[in-house]
Amino acid sequence: MKKIWWKENVIYQIYPRSFKDSNGDGIGDLRGIIEKLDYIKDLGVDIIWLGPSFKSPNDDNGYDISDYYDIMDEFGTMADFDELLEGLHSRGMKLLMDLVVNHSSDEHNWFEESRKSKDNPYRDYYWWKPPAADGGPPNNWISFFGGSAWEFDELTGEYYLHLFTKKQPDLNWENPKVREEVYKLMRFWLDKGIDGFRMDVIPLISKRLDFADADISNFTNLVATTYSNGPRVHEFIQEMHEEVLQHYDIMTVGEGPGITKDLGNLYVGESRKELSMIFHLDHMFMDHGDKGRFDPIPFSLLDVKRIFNEWDEATGDEGWVSIFLDNHDFARIVSRFGNDKEYRVTSAKMLSMLLLTLRGTPCIYQGSEIGMTNVKFDSIDDYRDVETLNFYKLAKENGGDMDAFMNAVYTLGRDNVRTPMQWNDSENAGFTTGQPWINLNQNYPEVNVENAIADPNSIFYFYKKLLAFRKEHSTFVYGNYKDLDPSHEKIYAYRRSDKNETFIVVLNFSSETVDFKLPEYYGELELCISNYGIIDGGDLENIKVMPWEGRIYRKK
Ligand code: ISL
Ligand code: CA
């Protein structure tokens, strides 16, 4: 397998709006991030993925861009950006920007032109279609954020396509001018010296041109079969590689909704000349029912293991993935996969072991390193996420069970991961001196960075230790992976090994003590790390794994 820096590095994702406010307007900004660079460096990560920071009316918090060449007013100026990039580079870190080019904002000049008339030169930058025979939308496609994916525009009497909100019209990648515009803006940022891109919903850029009605009975399936992996997607990405990517020493990570395991290597296979890695999302969608996240279904550890096993096998030595357990779209790690009550600290540490020792480039979401949890706001008026608010309205209109809906919001809604980063126990957790744009999680007097740094047993120091350990042992990067007991319902045990070393990771995903026997005999093992501290190795034939305990052993 090819050795390269982006396999060895670890990514830390910053959601700028919620990270640190420097000027008291209640909104996180670039100068806030600059203030915290030493903190991030000290944790031991290498690459920052900065959420979208371009000019935007913020219908979807920056995922609706109105000018790709400028910084969002709320976040600062281009001079601030340059200082941030320089601050990272001088500390030996790298920067990825968010490339959001499946759609733009409806306030982008291209769209403002496009909607003016059917013969406007920008008309074909977007997807316009005449109404169906009954005057309704051109087909039955539904948006990720609820309702039809088509919006009628009075002025020219046609509908335009928006797979996300109606303020996020989809760009028409069939049009070579659109592709040229994208390559141009990519070069602009790369020439400034950024180190790569996280690519928003990249498998969605090529549309199925018949625009036929689809089976919409299950949303995850609709995405995989109709919106994602369109006929020209690989041609477009290869063209982008040829035109732009290959000319820079950078990395790319594609967000992969709808990329099923069999299609993974088409995007990331070494010989493909497409992307460095993708975020596969099966473990994020596994608890979504037919109608998506607000229609939740239960999941178990067996599902999690199956998904990581399948993906590891499918990408093999040919392709590469990024490993993540939460981000700005999905519930907090410890609330979703751990126990955020009695075992918050212990289970957050255990989950960091999974995140940092699977095969792939780990991506840590801001706040995971201090064990931030999901939030429960008192009223729907406290929620800010356009997805949550749209689906709330729909559920109300349809006479849905609103208690069940709110429970789904508490478990899976996107605002769980968008509450401000908790820096200390002062008012608003030191995030802002003003009125925060979204409420804080009220556990901040206990859960905050200052406390974490003062406590040698904190989650923060556990991450730090593990990140350093990973750096010392390239087996965690290049070694192969094998699930040692795929059918165990409480324990996730796997092996990472190469010709130099063999490690065994044993993780307890339950609040009970489990007597666990490794299915294979490994000879003498040395316990390197446990989130319970190094307690005696015990009888290795029969390990007593404490509630939410994680252990890493090395074969002697
Ligand atoms: O959060 C989701 C909706 O339930 C996901 O399906 C998500 O929309 C999908 O993974 C795409 O996400 C990305 O593009 C969106 C943006 O809202 C998300 O924040 C971004 O990560 C549109 O740009
Ligand atoms: Ca601010």
Side-chain angles (χ1 to χ4, degrees):
M1 188 188 294
K2 204 171 98 199
K3 299 206 163 163
I4 190 155
W5 60 269
W6 43 255
K7 295 183 180 171
E8 295 162 13
N9 283 187
V10 173
I11 308 172
Y12 183 86
Q13 181 192 353
I14 293 186
Y15 194 68
R17 210 177 173 77
S18 304
F19 194 64
K20 177 75 176 84
D21 173 24
S22 71
N23 63 351
D25 68 353
I27 298 174
D29 47 52
L30 301 186
R31 300 217 68 81
I33 302 172
I34 294 170
E35 282 173 30
K36 298 297 181 185
L37 287 181
D38 286 331
Y39 166 75
I40 301 166
K41 173 76 187 166
D42 183 43
L43 180 60
V45 296
D46 312 282
I47 302 170
I48 299 299
W49 154 23
L50 180 69
S53 304
F54 312 92
K55 276 230 168 0
S56 165
N58 283 303
D59 190 49
D60 185 18
N61 290 357
Y63 283 96
D64 47 321
I65 296 170
S66 54
D67 182 353
Y68 289 94
Y69 293 91
D70 208 350
I71 297 296
M72 190 191 297
D73 293 327
E74 294 88 332
F75 288 0
T77 63
M78 194 60 97
D80 297 331
F81 175 82
D82 293 339
E83 195 179 321
L84 171 60
L85 184 59
E86 169 55 31
L88 284 166
H89 284 168
S90 67
R91 288 171 178 80
M93 289 190 283
K94 296 184 186 291
L95 180 69
L96 305 182
M97 290 194 90
D98 219 310
L99 184 74
V100 189
V101 289
N102 170 69
H103 43 270
S104 73
S105 164
D106 67 338
E107 296 181 34
H108 193 291
N109 167 261
W110 300 334
F111 191 76
E112 285 174 344
E113 285 298 316
S114 182
R115 81 186 335 166
K116 279 184 182 160
S117 69
K118 288 185 189 168
D119 56 11
N120 187 286
Y122 289 90
R123 188 67 168 181
D124 288 344
Y125 272 47
Y126 297 88
W127 292 104
W128 291 95
K129 296 279 171 204
D134 66 356
N139 67 22
N140 70 346
W141 291 9
I142 47 177
S143 145
F144 277 75
F145 295 148
S148 171
W150 297 93
E151 179 72 7
F152 187 67
D153 203 40
E154 292 284 345
L155 195 60
T156 53
E158 288 194 327
Y159 284 86
Y160 65 87
L161 177 69
H162 61 90
L163 292 179
F164 296 90
T165 77
K166 63 181 184 207
K167 286 183 68 61
Q168 294 169 296
D170 282 57
L171 283 159
N172 174 6
W173 277 68
E174 298 289 321
N175 182 348
K177 287 196 203 128
V178 167
R179 305 205 296 276
E180 253 327 299
E181 295 276 13
V182 171
Y183 305 152
K184 196 172 122 200
L185 75 90
M186 291 175 75
R187 288 186 202 108
F188 172 82
W189 292 100
L190 290 168
D191 289 340
K192 270 185 167 291
I194 70 164
D195 305 286
F197 291 106
R198 175 266 185 186
M199 299 187 181
D200 193 59
V201 293
I202 198 70
L204 270 54
I205 57 178
S206 160
K207 309 300 182 210
R208 291 183 166 73
L209 297 181
D210 56 2
F211 288 96
D213 274 357
D215 172 3
I216 58 171
S217 58
N218 176 281
F219 194 75
T220 306
N221 191 46
L222 172 67
V223 173
T225 57
T226 305
Y227 300 163
S228 198
N229 313 306
R232 296 182 72 190
V233 70
H234 296 293
E235 180 194 333
F236 293 158
I237 300 176
Q238 282 167 12
E239 183 184 86
M240 177 195 280
H241 189 276
E242 165 91 24
E243 292 280 325
V244 185
L245 304 175
Q246 65 160 335
H247 304 289
Y248 301 85
D249 177 21
I250 54 165
M251 63 159 279
T252 54
V253 49
E255 188 205 19
I259 303 183
T260 50
K261 62 182 189 332
D262 325 312
L263 300 180
N265 273 356
L266 293 177
Y267 291 86
V268 296
E270 271 175 14
S271 58
R272 296 281 300 173
K273 300 202 183 324
E274 294 196 17
L275 305 174
S276 315
M277 63 188 91
I278 53 167
F279 293 121
H280 62 84
L281 292 165
D282 290 346
H283 59 309
M284 292 293 123
F285 293 141
M286 70 189 167
D287 51 5
H288 293 194
D290 285 344
K291 295 199 177 65
R293 75 174 66 206
F294 300 112
D295 175 23
I297 52 176
F299 73 91
S300 73
L301 175 64
L302 296 181
D303 299 308
V304 178
K305 297 202 277 190
R306 176 183 45 79
I307 289 165
F308 282 121
N309 294 344
E310 286 174 353
W311 270 91
D312 191 84
E313 201 193 334
T315 42
D317 288 339
E318 196 29 46
W320 196 253
V321 298
S322 175
I323 303 291
F324 76 103
L325 295 170
D326 67 354
N327 65 24
H328 66 295
D329 290 333
F330 300 97
R332 285 279 172 192
I333 284 196
V334 68
S335 301
R336 189 164 194 193
F337 298 103
N339 175 330
D340 66 5
K341 308 273 175 335
E342 307 92 285
Y343 291 103
R344 185 185 65 86
V345 173
T346 309
S347 64
K349 289 178 183 172
M350 184 281 279
L351 289 162
S352 73
M353 298 166 98
L354 178 68
L355 182 62
L356 297 173
T357 65
L358 283 174
R359 179 157 71 167
T361 300
C363 183
I364 302 170
Y365 182 62
Q366 66 181 45
S368 299
E369 77 277 19
I370 54 167
M372 283 179 63
T373 64
N374 278 0
V375 76
K376 213 170 177 173
F377 292 144
D378 295 338
S379 147
I380 188 69
D381 301 328
D382 295 329
Y383 285 86
R384 297 286 174 269
D385 170 29
V386 66
E387 178 186 54
T388 302
L389 298 174
N390 281 1
F391 278 101
Y392 180 88
K393 235 178 100 205
L394 282 174
K396 257 228 129 108
E397 280 164 18
N398 299 332
D401 174 346
M402 297 316 285
D403 287 339
F405 181 85
M406 288 313 292
N407 278 328
V409 171
Y410 304 148
T411 350
L412 290 174
R414 302 199 298 180
D415 281 338
N416 284 308
V417 278
R418 297 176 179 188
T419 62
M421 181 76 182
Q422 297 163 197
W423 295 102
N424 56 44
D425 64 4
S426 71
E427 207 187 345
N428 294 321
F431 164 70
T432 181
T433 53
Q435 184 63 36
W437 70 277
I438 186 170
N439 288 345
L440 283 105
N441 189 317
Q442 288 310 310
N443 65 10
Y444 74 82
E446 182 200 339
V447 181
N448 64 60
V449 169
E450 208 172 275
N451 282 352
I453 292 194
D455 172 8
N457 289 318
S458 68
I459 301 166
F460 176 86
Y461 288 115
F462 195 78
Y463 265 84
K464 198 173 154 157
K465 178 163 84 177
L466 213 51
L467 282 161
F469 187 70
R470 186 178 189 277
K471 276 232 149 72
E472 284 161 23
H473 302 281
S474 63
T475 307
F476 289 113
V477 179
Y478 298 108
N480 60 37
Y481 158 91
K482 185 175 177 231
D483 185 343
L484 298 176
D485 197 352
S487 61
H488 200 293
E489 289 174 6
K490 292 182 179 141
I491 300 285
Y492 193 171
Y494 51 93
R495 185 192 71 200
R496 296 295 314 275
S497 67
D498 59 15
K499 60 181 190 329
N500 305 317
E501 290 184 299
T502 293
F503 291 95
I504 311 278
V505 182
V506 178
L507 309 172
N508 184 352
F509 275 76
S510 81
S511 300
E512 287 140 52
T513 304
V514 177
D515 289 315
F516 179 68
K517 195 170 155 46
L518 280 172
E520 277 171 62
Y521 181 63
Y522 278 93
E524 231 189 312
L525 297 175
E526 166 200 8
L527 181 60
C528 306
I529 294 185
S530 158
N531 56 345
Y532 275 71
I534 302 284
I535 42 184
D536 95 85
D539 170 10
L540 291 176
E541 291 295 283
N542 191 359
I543 309 169
K544 252 194 196 337
V545 202
M546 306 297 282
W548 301 101
E549 185 180 12
R551 295 178 174 212
I552 300 177
Y553 291 98
R554 181 177 30 212
K555 187 172 184 300
K556 280 198 185 156

